């Protein structure tokens, strides 16, 4: 059963003829070529597929397309190019927050989501905000440093 | 570039990883590519009587043992593991066949409709059962390796001993849980097999595929895709996937993609060996540890894999950081009907260090003396001999490192103050450890003989051609830094791409910190050669091969000599708080000092330290993987628990430096070392908080509750 | 292939379910995992799916006469952000899964999933929450303890929807909430425990105690609670007796997350601690 689903993807009005039960994750990766959204577990445990849906952090693996109708989806590809991304990128680089990189786009989305709600988060708030994003390489603390650095540098931008 | 090489630089691979444009294997799509799904055994041990496949729709087909053009054995140390099961299956999840075709949904349905008739055989599920198996899985005695080593005169130590302590220690499984599950894509074009994959060791894969296909070496090409973490988990297992996918690509004459789902990956790929280690120590009247007997048994799973070498490393670490002149160590890697145990950061040494460190603590407590003083009285010094009689040639900074960690952590005050607050019980633990860098024994000298090549083009840009991979640890950055510093040129003139075996020489696998220490030195040497013959604007090459350093010796039959040519060292302290009601623990602080020789990049080093420590804390406290009747109980990402950002505190770490003369700029090993100490410090902290003895990890609150046993106590 | 339907409003949804048996999907955080087939594959729903997450009628939060009415499709994050929700309740919601999952998962979904490990359930049981069920012609209100009939089972029929949850806004003087799990985020509970006490002139006026993940459904007993209140007022509270009452109700199992023994002991210890700290 194919349905027409209208939504905004990375700022662009998008119409897809798609099965409404297909996972947003698969649609982004397979139909839209947005492979910055990763599948680490497919069970909402790892956060590698984190995207923003109507500005709110969500696991794309848990979203059937039927629920996306009329919504706005932003992936890492949509964030790249913004001033906020530039600050996050520089901070992640300088804090050493990236190793294997598989969790990185999802981490950036979690950081973006946090800073939008709370531009000056405390350490515990950052830990909470990225707690659904597993990273097996860094032990998290350098990611924490990166978010703190971004908050400082991006003062007023979020 | 004249600045200190330790000064951090921008990671080579950071931009594409953050933007999401880095191409992992799951992001690759070749034209007309088919997918493969694996038909797996649901029995831990059985004879395959028959397999009934549903009718295959057009374009769908089965690939199994009959489709292996060469040898249906994965080339590793022993020749026992097939790409596709022959007549028997030896673990739940063992691959029997692939079903290949265009549509993943159809593949899934075809797998579901396939029925397999088994004749069950008596399985072996544990070390205990394995030691006494009447129908062995491997050989006549059901082990893949059995070794012994001896040093000094144990008899004499035994007769002189005033105190004898004996205990057994056990460690559990650990899953690597790299964020990117395993996968490969194979294509077959003009008689040549090309495999792209998430891999650590391109030439291991190449050699396995050559044997599998029976092809000439030049007809097999392996290309590493961006690799989303590995930690040892992608050392040997990709060889299996690559061989299978290559057979499928040949049969299909189309590219075939074989990706594991997360839960499949958890259940069937290699894991850290569970261990059972018995230590018996002999201590004289001055509290000198004069002798020890160690009996190390590893649960190797269904096939040999790398178990023999893992066992060697565990045995060589049996004495920990202590100078024990009289030693007897025996070790066995037991076959069981469970997924194959394999490489995981530390490679046998975390198990051995856990045992000896807990042993030293418990021995001191039994003797009624201060454990730290007892340990320091017995630690290794420069010139002392290793378990295999090799000489520790460089200065050992352990006691300085202990002093520093004590200072950083407030260890002494915390020891005194503990349990001042009855409601939350605090404890602190301190561990000392080393890691032997590079391959164990004669590996580098006789097996790998690694080569590295640098190519300079007409624009005087340098390309590093080595087989070692970037898998998150920062190899692309460190290797470029080493070459640039040696050549005294700008870093941005040096390039290092993911290896492609058609372009790079065999510099060996990406394991055991040998990338920095061994291959880094080859890169350095090649750079120096290039520098001497440098002609601006001209294409030039330099290639060097590993030379066993002078003055070292190793006899692989007797296990005598220098098991390693270089050691790095560490001291960790961990503080915990235990909830007296639920017996859950919270980690309150971690302090660490390491001697890794010269740091090639302080930021990458900290990344390894933090990451290794947190994996170690997961291993010791949280990561539970039980196996019942051959089936893992925790076999999904929901049930296999690794730490989140909320489970760990900030980590304070510092470096001390005793350089290694044969390492690039004096660098020593790093990645494994950072894992070894934190599980021990955590277990010791738990002991301290709960005033009990811990002999097993992971330390589960469930176990602690059994010990607390309210019913009996009340 | 199986159909899916996105109703325009609640009325539309209630009409749709009269003749067709749907799997109702709100947040979908449990369903999408349960039905998952793998990367690139459609989840295997064996019945048509009804998407209700965007129905405005199900996303309202109101307070009236001391009762909160929470729309079934409210996400846990929306509850955490809403000023009408008491801090105590938020404390419970904040320990559910991860931030991203809380943004998606709904309170109605957690109830209809009816798992004994459902994170919001011990609180809802302790508060005597009631579940509002609607079909195309009626609206009924059922106490949560009656609504959930077993592990993964409840009394909802295929022509009904849970549209809201009604719960009192209560003040308690002492509150203990403990979720025992293997890690601090994104974890299913081994045991969860809610206990609340209300005092008046230092006399116990009310007490509520509920346990999750230790029996086929949430464990709560008003009878025992009343006995605690009664006996504490005349000074004859026998803690051992209270504990033994609960011991008969707590029937934990061994599973991949924990052991029956651990769960039983933790329940007992939490209870002893609560009774000891606040009541005697």
């Amino acid at each position: 059963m194919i349905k027409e689903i209208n939504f905004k993807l990375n700022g662009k009005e998008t119409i897809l003829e798609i099965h409404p039960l297909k996972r947003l994750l698969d649609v982004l990766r397979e139909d839209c070529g947005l492979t910055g959204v990763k599948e680490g577990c497919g069970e909402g445990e790892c956060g590698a597929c984190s995207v923003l849906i109507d500005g709110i952090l969500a696991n794309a693996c848990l979203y059937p397309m039927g629920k996306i109708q009329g919504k706005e989806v932003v992936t890492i590809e949509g964030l790249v190019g913004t001033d906020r991304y530039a600050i996050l990128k520089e901070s992640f680089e300088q804090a050493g927050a990236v190793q294997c990189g598989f969790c990185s786009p999802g981490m950036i989305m979690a950081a973006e989501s946090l800073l939008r709600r709370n531009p000056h988060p405390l350490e515990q708030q950052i830990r909470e905000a990225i707690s659904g994003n597993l990273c097996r390489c860094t032990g998290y603390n350098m990611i924490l440093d990166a978010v703190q650095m971004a908050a400082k540098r991006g003062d007023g931008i979020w | 570039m004249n600045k200190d090489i330790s000064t951090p630089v921008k990671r080579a691979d950071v931009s594409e990883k953050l933007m999401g444009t880095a191409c992992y294997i799951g992001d690759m799509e070749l034209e007309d590519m088919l997918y493969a799904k694996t038909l797996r055994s649901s029995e831990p041990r059985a004879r395959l009587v028959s397999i009934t496949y549903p009718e295959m729709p057009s374009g769908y087909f089965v690939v199994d043992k009959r489709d292996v053009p060469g040898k249906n054995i994965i080339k590793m140390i022993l020749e026992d593991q097939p790409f596709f099961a022959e007549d028997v299956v030896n673990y739940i999840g063992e691959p029997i066949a692939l079903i290949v075709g265009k549509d993943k949904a159809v593949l899934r349905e075809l797998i579901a409709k396939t029925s397999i008739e088994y004749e069950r055989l008596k399985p072996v599920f544990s070390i205990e059962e394995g030691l006494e198996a009447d129908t062995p899985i491997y050989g006549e005695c059901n082990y893949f390796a059995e070794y012994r080593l001896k040093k000094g005169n144990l008899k004499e130590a035994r007769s002189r001993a005033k105190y004898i302590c004996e205990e057994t220690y056990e460690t559990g499984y650990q899953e690597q849980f790299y964020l990117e599950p395993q996968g490969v894509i194979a294509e077959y074009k003009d008689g040549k097999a090309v495999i792209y994959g998430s891999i650590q060791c391109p030439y291991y894969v190449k050699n396995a595929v050559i044997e599998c296909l029976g092809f000439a070496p030049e007809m097999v090409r392996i290309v590493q895709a961006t690799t989303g973490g590995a930690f040892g988990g992608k050392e040997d297992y990709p060889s299996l996937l690559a061989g299978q996918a290559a057979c499928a690509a040949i049969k299909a004459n189309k590219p075939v993609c074989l990706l594991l789902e997360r839960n499949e990956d958890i259940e069937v790929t290699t894991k850290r060996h569970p261990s059972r280690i018995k230590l018996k120590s002999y201590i004289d009247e001055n509290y000198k540890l004069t002798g020890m007997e160690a009996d190390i048994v590893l649960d190797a799973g269904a096939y040999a894999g790398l178990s023999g070498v893992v066992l060697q490393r565990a045995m060589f670490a049996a004495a920990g950081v202590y100078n024990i002149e009289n030693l007897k160590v025996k070790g066995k890697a037991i076959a069981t009907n469970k997924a194959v145990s394999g490489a995981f950061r530390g490679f046998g040494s975390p198990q051995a260090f856990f045992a000896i460190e807990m042993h030293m603590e418990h021995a001191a407590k039994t003797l009624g003396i201060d454990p730290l003083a007892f340990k320091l009285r017995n630690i290794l010094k420069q010139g002392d001999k290793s378990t295999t009689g090799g000489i520790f040639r460089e200065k050992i900074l352990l006691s300085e490192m202990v002093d520093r960690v004590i200072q950083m952590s407030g260890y002494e005050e915390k020891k005194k103050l503990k349990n001042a607050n009855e409601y939350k019980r605090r404890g602190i633990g301190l561990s000392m450890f080393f890691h032997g860098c590079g391959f164990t024994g004669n590996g580098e000298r006789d097996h790998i003989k690694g080569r590295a090549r640098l190519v300079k083009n007409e624009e005087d840009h340098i390309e590093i051609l080595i087989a070692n991979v970037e898998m998150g640890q920062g190899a692309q950055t460190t290797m470029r830094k080493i070459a640039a510093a040696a050549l005294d040129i700008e870093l941005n003139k040096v390039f290092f791409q993911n290896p492609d075996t058609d372009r790079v020489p065999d510099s060996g696998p990406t394991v055991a910190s040998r990338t920095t220490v061994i291959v880094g030195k080859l890169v350095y040497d090649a750079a120096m050669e290039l520098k001497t013959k440098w002609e601006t604007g001209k294409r030039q090459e330099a290639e060097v091969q590993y030379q066993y350093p002078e003055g070292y010796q190793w006899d692989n039959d007797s296990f005598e000599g220098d098991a390693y040519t270089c050691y790095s060292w560490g001291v960790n302290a961990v503080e915990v708080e235990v909830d007296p009601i639920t017996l859950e623990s919270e980690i309150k602080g971690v302090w660490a000092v390491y001697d890794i020789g010269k740091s090639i990049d302080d930021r990458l080093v900290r990344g390894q330290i933090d990451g290794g420590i947190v994996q170690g804390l997961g291993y010791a406290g949280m990561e539970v993987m039980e196996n019942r009747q051959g089936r893992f109980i925790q076999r999904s990402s929901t049930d296999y628990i690794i730490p989140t950002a909320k489970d760990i505190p900030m980590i304070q770490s510092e470096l001390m430096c005793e350089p290694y003369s044969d390492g690039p700029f004096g660098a020593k090993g790093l990645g494994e070392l950072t894992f070894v100490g934190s599980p021990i410090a955590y277990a010791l902290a738990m002991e301290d908080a709960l005033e009990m003895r811990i002999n097993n990890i992971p330390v589960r609150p469930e176990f602690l509750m059994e010990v607390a046993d309210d019913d009996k106590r009340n | 292939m199986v159909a899916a339907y996105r109703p325009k409003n609640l009325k539309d949804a209630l009409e749709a379910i009269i003749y067709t048996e749907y799997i109702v999907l709100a947040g979908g955080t449990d369903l999408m995992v349960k039905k998952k087939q793998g990367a690139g594959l459609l989840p295997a729903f064996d019945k048509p799916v009804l998407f209700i997450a965007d129905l405005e009628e199900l996303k309202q939060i109101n307070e009236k006469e001391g009762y909160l009415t929470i729309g079934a499709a409210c996400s846990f994050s929306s509850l955490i952000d809403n000023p009408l929700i008491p801090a105590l309740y938020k404390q419970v919601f904040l320990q559910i899964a991860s931030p991203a999952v809380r943004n998606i998962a709904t309170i109605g979904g957690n109830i209809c999933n009816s798992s004994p490990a459902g994170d919001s359930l011990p609180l809802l049981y302790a508060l005597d929450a009631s579940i509002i069920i609607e079909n195309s012609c009626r609206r009924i209100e059922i106490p949560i303890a009656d609504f959930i009939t077993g592990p993964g089972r409840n009394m909802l029929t295929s022509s009904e929807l849970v549209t809201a949850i009604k719960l009192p806004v209560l003040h308690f003087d002492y509150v203990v909430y403990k979720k025992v799990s293997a890690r601090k985020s994104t974890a299913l509970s081994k045991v969860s425990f809610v206990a609340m006490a209300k005092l008046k002139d230092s006399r116990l006026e009310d007490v509520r105690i509920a346990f999750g993940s230790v029996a086929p459904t949430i464990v709560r007993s008003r009878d025992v609670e009343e006995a605690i209140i009664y006996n504490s007022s005349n000074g004859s509270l026998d803690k051992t007796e209270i504990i033994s009452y609960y011991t008969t109700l707590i029937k934990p199992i061994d599973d991949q997350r924990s052991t029956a023994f651990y769960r039983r002991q933790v329940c007992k210890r939490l209870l002893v601690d609560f009774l000891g700290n606040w009541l005697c």
Side-chain angles (χ1 to χ4, degrees), chain B residues 548-562:
Chain B
Y548 193 64
E550 268 174 48
Y552 294 87
Q553 50 158 337
W554 177 252
D555 180 337
N556 207 49
D557 297 322
S558 61
F559 285 163
E560 277 174 300
D562 297 291

Side-chain angles (χ1 to χ4, degrees), chain A residues 8-14 72-74 78:
Chain A
K8 205 173 192 178
L9 177 57
N10 291 335
K12 256 188 251 158
E13 291 299 340
T14 305
E72 177 170 8
V73 177
V74 178

Side-chain angles (χ1 to χ4, degrees), chain B residues 655-668:
Chain B
L655 298 177
M656 288 189 187
C657 177
E658 171 67 17
Y660 170 48
S661 49
D662 280 303
F665 300 97
K668 302 197 280 196

Side-chain angles (χ1 to χ4, degrees), chain B residues 440-513:
Chain B
T440 300
N442 61 342
E444 297 293 347
R445 186 185 67 195
D446 299 338
H447 296 300
I448 302 298
K449 303 171 201 160
R451 287 179 296 135
R453 190 187 308 147
L454 295 189
V455 176
K456 179 169 86 71
N457 68 12
E458 288 81 357
E459 289 157 46
D460 294 332
H461 289 175
I462 309 293
E463 184 175 7
I464 300 171
L465 295 173
I466 54 174
N468 301 82
V469 310
E470 170 66 61
M471 51 190 182
Q473 86 283 39
Q476 285 190 343
T477 308
T478 48
M479 292 297 123
R480 286 171 60 240
K481 280 182 90 170
I482 289 168
L487 286 161
D488 199 13
I489 59 173
E490 293 297 318
L491 187 59
N492 62 14
K493 301 267 190 309
V494 184
F495 298 85
F496 174 15
Q497 295 174 7
N498 290 345
D500 168 344
T501 56
D502 272 8
R503 301 190 64 234
V504 303
D506 186 356
S507 52
T510 314
V511 303
S513 287

Side-chain angles (χ1 to χ4, degrees), chain C residues 199-255:
Chain C
L199 304 183
K200 195 177 180 187
D201 307 327
S202 71
R203 237 189 62 241
L204 185 68
E205 191 181 62
D206 194 6
V207 69
R208 311 281 177 96
I209 297 170
F211 303 86
S213 297
V214 290
T217 57
I218 302 301
V219 170
R220 186 187 164 203
S221 164
R222 190 58 194 163
D223 289 348
V224 184
E225 289 168 3
E226 276 169 2
I228 296 172
I229 298 164
Y230 178 79
N231 289 321
S232 85
S233 69
N234 61 24
S236 64
L237 184 68
D238 181 349
K239 270 196 280 177
T240 322
E241 205 178 331
I242 303 296
I243 290 162
S244 69
Y245 275 132
Y246 280 110
T247 307
T248 61
L249 302 175
I250 290 167
K251 297 186 177 74
I253 55 165
D254 286 331
D255 65 10

Side-chain angles (χ1 to χ4, degrees), chain A residues 5 21 23 29 44 50 60-62 64 70 82 84 100 103 113 127 142 154:
Chain A
I5 288 166
L21 293 175
R23 305 182 307 168
R29 289 182 56 83
S50 297
C61 71
L62 299 177
T82 64
R84 302 187 309 281
C100 88
C103 75
S113 162
R127 288 193 188 279
M142 294 169 92

Side-chain angles (χ1 to χ4, degrees), chain C residues 85-143:
Chain C
I85 308 289
L88 153 66
Y89 307 177
K90 290 185 183 180
Q91 183 196 332
V92 173
F93 303 147
L94 272 166
Q95 292 196 41
I96 296 175
S98 64
V101 171
R102 291 198 294 272
N103 288 340
I104 313 172
T106 65
I107 187 165
N110 204 228
I111 292 165
C112 291
N113 207 25
S114 304
S115 159
D119 281 312
S120 69
L121 302 183
L123 174 74
L124 298 180
Y125 272 67
L127 292 172
D128 285 322
S130 46
I131 309 303
I132 295 171
I133 297 174
E134 292 186 50
N135 65 18
S136 57
C137 47
R138 66 179 185 140
R139 183 175 195 272
I140 55 171
E141 206 178 302
I142 295 171

